[in-house]
Amino acid sequence: MEQIHSTDIATSGVENDLSSTIGFFIWIEESPRDWIECVRSISGSGSTGVIFIAFAHNTDREFLLSHFGSLKDVKLIPPESFNVGLSEIWDMDLLGVAFLLSPTVLPNSFLTNAAYWIKNDPRVASVSFLSNAGGFLSFPYRNTPHPLAPDGYDQTTLTYHLRARHSIGQRRGVPIPVAQGPVVVLSTNAWNLCSEDGDSSGRDVEFLLEDISLRSGRRGLVNYLDPYTFVFRVWPPNFMVRENERMTVRRDALNRRHPFYPICYDIEMQRSDSVLAQALDVARAQTNGLRILIDGSALGPKEMGTQLVILQLCKELCTLPVVQRLFLAVPQPDRLPSYAQELRNLDKLILVKSNGLEFPDADYVDIIHRPYQPSEPIPWQRWSSISKRIVITIQDLIAYRNASYFPNWQKWDDYRSNFRLQASRADAIFSISNDVVSVIQEERMPIERDRIFVVENGGDARSPDQPVRVPRVIAERGWTGRRFLVAIGATYAHKNRDFTIRVWAELRRMGFDIGLVLVGATVPFGSSRVEEALISSKTPCDSLIVLPEVESLERNWLLKHASLAMYLTSAEGFGQGPFEAACMGVPTLFVSFGPLRELLPDTVTCGSFRVDELAAQAVTLLTSRDAAQKSIATIMKSVERLSWKATAKKTVDAYFEVLDMPARAGWR
């Protein structure tokens, strides 16, 4: 994880103003020496609230007077004046009081959220905080007090890190049944409403706070955890022994007053799907880093759109400090295809077997992500047993809407049924554009809109300095120095390769001596191969080359040496064509619609599939260097925004939002 230093973190004026409305009531039972750092941290916490220090009979009074008695805004409360001091602080004009129950080191501005929530909602009874030893709010080990802060952090740097994703107005408190921990902020409203409901005169301050927080819940108020703030509890000798003894006594006493306690507390401690558990999962992932499993079972011998997405996403995710570990499930971990060999050099990446999507070697992770179409059944019970959340990507609904891509109607119907099932069970769907989101909604996919995230693919996967290799057929035909158009894509009918041939033929009719190279696998159903054969039979065969799907080095050569890339698709899937060509310094002819219009809004393109209009635009791009360079520059400007680095960052942000949502109910 990226290291943050306390000295780099400043306190804002707004936080100071709000924090000053919270007072401090420190309860010292034993050695006051342990409190020196705590009192010092209060003075640097961004608060100017008054500090009351109450102490027990066995406390060293002389030490308290010599070290704390002369401090500004500090008032010492001897044992015989405990109740008077407690009443006095509540008589002040404060939003609430922060009770410190054991020696604790506080982060800068630790009251920011508590003061904001109490000020803006009179129903807030109390605010507790994450702590290394905070009972059921212990962090990062839930229900397990620990003597140390999370590795690489102190209380201030961890608080800064936890707050970094949201501004104060976006932060939400987490409802909890009872206040707990070394520091609890109790609101003045809660005190005024509930202090008379029972005996509040005892000197067991922990019991007092838990009791009032339970009474507050009975009156309709709410107790919150601040999951964005970490306080460090000093770990004295025999801490756990004393803590367990005190907890047992408090549980019995609280149960006598509140019959529903401690059952509500114990249930909340254990439930993995509670709002508290979800908040702790998010905070833990943000602190220790995300553990992600990517379904890379599509990494076969050929590098097409799906393979490029998997490769680029994994590479960029591994560069992010917030990612702790990335598991990539592939068919054969010991035999990666040549284009994916660089994955072995990524420190955070671990290759595991996909094994029919069962992932037998995978560890437990925060997120499982299938970053491409859910075109086959997913073993949901297995996936949910090794992850907290499951995400699938929908690039398009072309096959979902097109029966001709299947051998018969039943296969198409099965595909659609499976597609809807996957959408209904995923915790979230990622999509490559707002246009595709609109199509998902048009088809009434069974998932809520707030679980659909737009995460655009990057466009900077290729560059002119990438290694190249001349395709054998190109060399044999003597085309290494010839001008040619190139169209890359499988023979799916929506790719309109036959239409590309018609535009090329029109260019030849207009006098252009230019060849055409068609590259892409032939698909068994929904192909345009017959139409391509009929049209190409009317053109000179020495000017047309048809290649199957080529390796990445040959693809690089074709893109780099083409005069113009042809991308006349009428249904958009991955959207890589214009970006790949522009990165190689080649303009692209395409029709502006849907995702292409959304992602490349300023590019000069055609608005229809008329051969004469497309041919005229092709002539402009082929004959005008200024027009070609302008087209390339416009696309490259979009590449700055649509980089794979930006894709990875947006992906991780969405992962955190998904973790902060409840898992999809109804099937788990």
Side-chain angles (χ1 to χ4, degrees):
M1 299 295 296
E2 185 177 18
Q3 294 301 302
I4 306 167
H5 301 286
S6 300
T7 53
D8 298 332
I9 301 170
T11 305
S12 74
V14 173
E15 293 174 354
N16 283 337
D17 292 340
L18 290 173
S19 298
S20 66
T21 62
I22 305 292
F24 289 87
F25 193 94
I26 298 174
W27 172 237
I28 300 179
E29 285 188 277
E30 297 180 358
S31 172
R33 295 176 180 275
D34 296 336
W35 287 88
I36 293 177
E37 188 177 9
C38 176
V39 175
R40 186 184 298 118
S41 70
I42 292 176
S43 64
S45 67
S47 173
T48 57
V50 64
I51 303 172
F52 281 58
I53 299 179
F55 54 93
H57 284 284
N58 59 342
T59 306
D60 186 340
R61 293 195 181 202
E62 291 186 7
F63 185 93
L64 286 169
L65 289 171
S66 62
H67 285 81
F68 303 138
S70 61
L71 293 177
K72 182 182 178 182
D73 296 326
V74 170
K75 183 171 183 178
L76 295 178
I77 309 297
E80 59 272 15
S81 303
F82 180 90
N83 292 332
V84 174
L86 191 61
S87 298
E88 184 178 344
I89 195 169
W90 286 116
D91 288 339
M92 296 182 174
D93 187 18
L94 299 170
L95 284 176
V97 175
F99 286 84
L100 279 72
L101 311 175
S102 62
T104 309
V105 187
L106 306 174
N108 294 344
S109 306
F110 93 99
L111 289 172
T112 299
N113 297 332
Y116 182 85
W117 295 335
I118 292 172
K119 180 179 177 63
N120 287 282
D121 191 343
R123 296 170 296 180
V124 178
S126 69
V127 179
S128 302
F129 304 90
L130 296 177
S131 172
N132 57 304
F136 76 125
L137 305 179
S138 295
F139 183 81
Y141 309 105
R142 185 181 180 188
N143 303 318
T144 307
H146 192 265
L148 303 175
D151 289 346
Y153 295 99
D154 64 13
Q155 63 284 346
T156 294
T157 57
L158 181 53
T159 296
Y160 177 84
H161 189 68
L162 293 172
R163 292 179 179 180
R165 290 181 56 243
H166 301 291
S167 64
I168 187 170
Q170 297 172 316
R171 297 174 197 153
R172 296 173 297 171
V174 176
I176 54 177
V178 60
Q180 199 166 99
V183 183
V184 173
V185 176
L186 188 66
S187 73
T188 301
N189 282 330
W191 178 263
N192 291 337
L193 274 174
C194 303
S195 61
E196 300 301 323
D197 287 356
D199 180 14
S200 301
S201 60
R203 293 190 182 88
D204 186 340
V205 185
E206 286 180 88
F207 174 84
L208 169 66
L209 292 173
E210 292 187 15
D211 182 35
I212 290 184
S213 70
L214 290 168
R215 294 186 228 162
S216 298
R218 186 171 68 87
R219 286 185 173 270
L221 303 187
V222 61
N223 300 295
Y224 277 144
L225 162 70
D226 177 356
Y228 311 95
T229 303
F230 179 85
V231 299
F232 180 73
R233 188 174 192 172
V234 177
W235 190 277
N238 301 318
F239 173 81
M240 286 304 301
V241 174
R242 292 176 21 245
E243 187 75 2
N244 290 335
E245 291 175 351
R246 292 162 66 100
M247 183 64 182
T248 299
V249 172
R250 291 203 309 276
R251 283 170 68 96
D252 292 341
L254 288 169
N255 179 245
R256 287 192 291 272
R257 291 193 180 187
H258 309 281
F260 55 85
Y261 183 90
I263 297 302
C264 65
Y265 170 86
D266 292 342
I267 290 175
E268 190 72 3
M269 284 179 64
Q270 303 301 327
R271 282 181 56 194
S272 61
D273 61 344
S274 68
V275 63
L276 172 61
Q278 293 171 37
L280 292 176
D281 284 343
V282 173
R284 192 180 303 109
Q286 196 168 349
T287 302
N288 296 335
L290 281 164
R291 299 160 298 173
I292 306 162
L293 171 58
I294 298 291
D295 175 14
S297 53
L299 285 181
K302 298 295 184 182
E303 183 186 13
M304 295 182 280
T306 299
Q307 292 72 31
L308 182 142
V309 166
I310 296 170
L311 189 66
Q312 296 300 321
L313 181 61
C314 288
K315 286 165 57 178
E316 293 300 337
L317 284 175
C318 285
T319 68
L320 299 179
V322 77
V323 174
Q324 179 191 69
R325 186 71 64 204
L326 181 66
F327 297 91
L328 177 62
V330 297
Q332 295 178 293
D334 58 337
R335 296 180 62 185
L336 282 179
S338 58
Y339 64 82
Q341 285 297 324
E342 60 186 312
L343 293 173
R344 297 191 187 279
N345 300 323
L346 303 178
D347 290 338
K348 296 180 182 179
L349 189 138
I350 297 177
L351 295 170
V352 296
K353 297 177 183 177
S354 53
N355 195 27
L357 302 184
E358 290 291 335
F359 312 144
D361 305 324
D363 289 352
Y364 191 80
V365 295
D366 299 299
I367 299 286
I368 291 180
H369 183 189
R370 180 184 175 97
Y372 52 96
Q373 304 288 79
S375 55
E376 58 187 321
I378 291 173
W380 290 99
Q381 292 298 335
R382 168 59 181 166
W383 284 23
S384 64
S385 72
I386 58 172
S387 69
K388 297 183 186 300
R389 300 292 184 272
I390 300 169
V391 176
I392 61 175
T393 292
I394 293 179
Q395 283 116 350
D396 61 75
L397 277 80
I398 299 171
Y400 185 87
R401 287 180 160 182
N402 196 334
S404 70
Y405 288 178
F406 299 86
N408 54 56
W409 178 89
Q410 185 61 54
K411 292 293 185 182
W412 183 47
D413 189 56
D414 291 345
Y415 175 89
R416 288 164 62 87
S417 297
N418 174 72
F419 208 97
R420 288 192 298 271
L421 177 65
Q422 315 314 331
S424 71
R425 290 184 169 180
D427 293 304
I429 287 175
F430 289 3
S431 194
I432 64 170
S433 68
N434 288 292
D435 181 81
V436 176
V437 171
S438 297
V439 176
I440 291 171
Q441 292 183 287
E442 286 174 1
E443 294 292 348
R444 305 293 196 271
M445 285 293 154
I447 187 168
E448 301 89 342
R449 177 61 185 88
D450 64 349
R451 290 183 180 271
I452 304 175
F453 296 82
V454 176
V455 181
E456 300 91 345
N457 285 333
D460 59 345
R462 302 194 186 276
S463 62
D465 58 354
Q466 284 189 299
V468 300
R469 183 173 63 235
V470 181
R472 180 179 57 83
V473 176
I474 295 291
E476 290 176 351
R477 296 276 289 271
W479 278 36
T480 54
R482 183 176 184 180
R483 299 188 77 197
F484 62 87
L485 312 177
V486 65
I488 298 179
T491 61
Y492 284 114
H494 75 269
K495 297 288 188 181
N496 296 324
R497 293 184 10 156
D498 57 320
F499 199 76
T500 295
I501 298 173
R502 292 171 61 189
V503 174
W504 167 66
E506 177 64 14
L507 289 173
R508 289 183 60 83
R509 188 193 66 78
M510 297 168 66
F512 283 86
D513 181 20
I514 193 167
L516 172 63
V517 180
L518 298 175
V519 184
T522 298
V523 297
F525 306 104
S527 175
S528 62
R529 64 187 185 280
V530 175
E531 290 85 351
E532 293 175 35
L534 288 171
I535 297 174
S536 60
S537 66
K538 303 174 184 178
T539 61
C541 62
D542 63 345
S543 298
L544 173 65
I545 293 178
V546 179
L547 299 174
E549 186 64 35
V550 298
E551 294 184 5
S552 56
L553 296 182
E554 295 175 339
R555 185 186 183 101
N556 290 341
W557 188 93
L558 289 168
L559 284 171
K560 187 173 183 178
H561 290 84
S563 299
L564 179 65
M566 306 290 283
Y567 195 70
L568 299 186
T569 178
S570 51
E572 182 54 24
F574 291 93
Q576 291 295 307
F579 296 104
E580 289 186 320
C583 287
M584 291 292 193
V586 175
T588 301
L589 180 67
F590 63 94
V591 176
S592 179
F593 69 91
L596 290 175
R597 182 180 298 163
E598 177 185 330
L599 301 177
L600 299 169
D602 301 322
T603 309
V604 178
T605 59
C606 290
S608 72
F609 289 92
R610 288 185 52 171
V611 172
D612 57 342
E613 287 187 11
L614 288 165
Q617 181 64 26
V619 169
T620 300
L621 294 172
L622 287 168
T623 59
S624 172
R625 181 175 178 81
D626 288 344
Q629 290 300 319
K630 180 179 179 182
S631 177
I632 294 168
T634 303
I635 294 174
M636 292 305 295
K637 184 177 180 181
S638 294
V639 169
E640 296 175 8
R641 176 176 59 89
L642 299 172
S643 66
W644 279 105
K645 186 175 293 296
T647 298
K649 174 65 167 57
K650 205 166 185 178
T651 296
V652 162
D653 289 344
Y655 286 161
F656 276 113
E657 288 196 49
V658 176
L659 275 176
D660 215 9
M661 295 177 172
R664 291 290 287 278
W667 68 271
R668 292 179 186 243

